[in-house]
């Protein structure tokens, strides 16, 4: 419930879900790719329906947003490895991805001179770049903007909440991080194998997204928290695990209610 609240009541997530863009679909497909990856690693018997779903999800993710390309390729890669004894079976189910990627990459190459079309965007946005963001001060500002816009930064970064709300978000995130470390140190070995695989897949997905966002900002300075939303479900789950780890069992319901009230307060303040 805590993880669901951290997703559903995140002010920025609500805001981005209410505007016209491809982020909502990208967030859904990102979560779906992570879920299917876990299923492939956990299930001993992989049905034709599951493998067909893998192919469709990978194709949809590839066409929706370039930030999902690692998800699509990783999902198919896991499927190919798991089905390595029946490789031709998986190649058949990978056909949707190959069909979706082929024509689009060729079209971009002919129209823009690059496979992704980013060369054209770089020419349009070059004047907006902050080449000094790799300095210590620049990285600090970049990280702060990324964090704030993950929780609540509306409009074109010109509508923010009072600083006290971001301070609360930082404290909540810090407590969750400490709790997650305590969980990994004390209880990792007692966690079922399937759950451990799921957590590892989620952690890898988060790392890929963070690296991808940083790399993207080397060419286009866009420290927008919405780029982390393809793994918002994973981040929220890890936060919930950390917060629960530090909460006494007798106070779990009270802590959950306090979390929901705090998030609702953020939402009402954002209106």
């Amino acid at each position: 419930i805590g993880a669901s609240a951290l997703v559903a009541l995140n002010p920025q997530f609500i805001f981005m879900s209410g505007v016209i863009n491809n982020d909502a679909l990208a967030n859904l497909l990102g979560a779906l790719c992570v879920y299917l990856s876990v299923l492939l690693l956990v299930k001993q018997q992989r049905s034709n329906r599951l493998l067909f779903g893998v192919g469709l999800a990978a194709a949809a993710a590839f066409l929706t947003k370039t930030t999902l390309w690692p998800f699509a390729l990783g999902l198919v890669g896991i499927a190919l490895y798991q089905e390595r004894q029946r490789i031709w079976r998986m190649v058949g189910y990978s056909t949707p991805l190959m069909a979706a990627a082929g024509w689009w990459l060729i079209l971009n190459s002919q129209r823009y001179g690059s496979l992704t079309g980013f060369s054209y965007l770089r020419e349009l946005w070059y004047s907006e770049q902050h080449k000094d963001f790799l300095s210590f001060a620049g990285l600090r500002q970049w990280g702060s903007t990324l964090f704030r816009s993950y929780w609540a930064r509306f409009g074109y970064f010109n509508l923010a909440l009072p600083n006290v709300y971001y301070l609360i978000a930082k404290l909540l995130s810090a407590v969750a991080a400490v709790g997650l470390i305590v969980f990994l140190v004390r209880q990792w070995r007692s966690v079922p194998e399937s759950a451990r695989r799921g957590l590892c897949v989620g952690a890898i997905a988060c790392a890929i997204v963070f690296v991808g966002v940083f790399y993207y900002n080397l060419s286009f300075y866009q420290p927008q928290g919405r780029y982390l939303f393809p793994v918002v479900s994973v981040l929220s789950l890890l936060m919930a695990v950390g917060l629960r780890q530090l909460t006494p069992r007798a106070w779990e319901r009270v802590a959950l209610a306090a979390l929901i009230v705090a998030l609702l307060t953020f939402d009402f303040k954002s209106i």
Side-chain angles (χ1 to χ4, degrees):
I1 297 177
S4 300
L6 286 167
V7 175
L9 300 179
N10 180 318
Q12 190 71 30
F13 185 80
I14 296 174
F15 173 75
M16 295 307 304
S17 299
V19 298
I20 300 176
N21 55 35
N22 60 356
D23 284 353
L25 181 58
N27 301 338
L28 172 64
L29 291 173
L32 180 60
C33 286
V34 172
Y35 174 70
L36 291 175
S37 297
V38 174
L39 284 184
L40 287 171
L41 292 173
V42 171
K43 283 184 173 292
Q44 297 298 324
Q45 298 295 328
R46 290 165 286 277
S47 65
N48 291 334
R49 181 181 299 179
L50 173 59
L51 295 177
F52 184 69
V54 165
L56 288 180
F62 191 91
L63 286 177
T64 299
K65 207 175 185 73
T66 53
T67 53
L68 294 181
W69 284 13
F71 287 71
L73 297 177
L75 177 60
V76 172
I78 292 174
L80 288 172
Y81 177 79
Q82 293 293 87
E83 293 291 314
R84 58 190 180 278
Q85 301 300 330
R86 296 175 291 180
I87 193 67
W88 289 110
R89 179 188 183 204
M90 192 54 230
V91 168
Y93 288 116
S94 301
T95 301
L97 174 59
M98 293 183 286
W103 71 268
W104 191 74
L105 294 175
I106 293 173
L107 178 64
N108 281 340
S109 180
Q110 293 179 344
R111 181 174 295 178
Y112 304 114
S114 67
L115 294 179
T116 62
F118 277 164
S119 60
Y120 176 71
L121 294 177
R122 186 175 291 111
E123 294 177 1
L124 292 178
W125 294 350
Y126 182 79
S127 61
E128 297 185 14
Q129 303 318 300
H130 295 238
K131 296 301 181 181
D132 60 340
F133 100 91
L134 289 179
S135 64
F136 177 78
L139 287 173
R140 182 178 180 182
Q141 179 62 34
W142 180 83
S144 176
T145 305
L146 186 71
F147 178 84
R148 288 182 172 225
S149 59
Y150 175 87
W151 290 103
R153 195 70 181 249
F154 313 114
Y156 193 71
F157 277 45
N158 58 337
L159 298 175
L161 294 179
N163 287 331
V164 64
Y165 288 90
Y166 299 110
L167 177 60
I168 294 173
K170 287 180 181 180
L171 292 175
L172 184 69
S173 301
V175 171
V178 172
L180 184 61
I181 294 173
V182 173
F183 169 80
L184 293 175
V185 172
R186 294 182 178 179
Q187 300 188 28
W188 180 253
R189 293 184 179 180
S190 62
V191 175
E193 179 66 22
S194 59
R196 277 191 285 181
R197 290 186 178 185
L199 289 173
C200 287
V201 169
I204 292 172
C206 291
I208 289 174
V209 169
F210 275 108
V211 172
V213 170
F214 183 81
Y215 179 77
Y216 179 77
N217 275 258
L218 293 176
S219 298
F220 307 100
Y221 188 79
Q222 298 284 318
Q224 300 184 28
R226 65 188 179 94
Y227 291 141
L228 304 178
F229 283 168
V231 289
V232 65
S233 57
V234 179
L235 291 173
S236 298
L237 177 61
L238 295 176
M239 284 190 66
V241 170
L243 292 173
R244 183 178 182 184
Q245 181 65 32
L246 297 182
T247 303
R249 185 172 297 274
W251 289 86
E252 284 184 355
R253 292 186 178 182
V254 175
L256 177 60
L259 174 64
I260 293 175
V261 169
L263 290 170
L264 287 174
T265 303
F266 271 55
D267 295 333
F268 283 116
K269 183 63 179 179
S270 302
I271 296 177

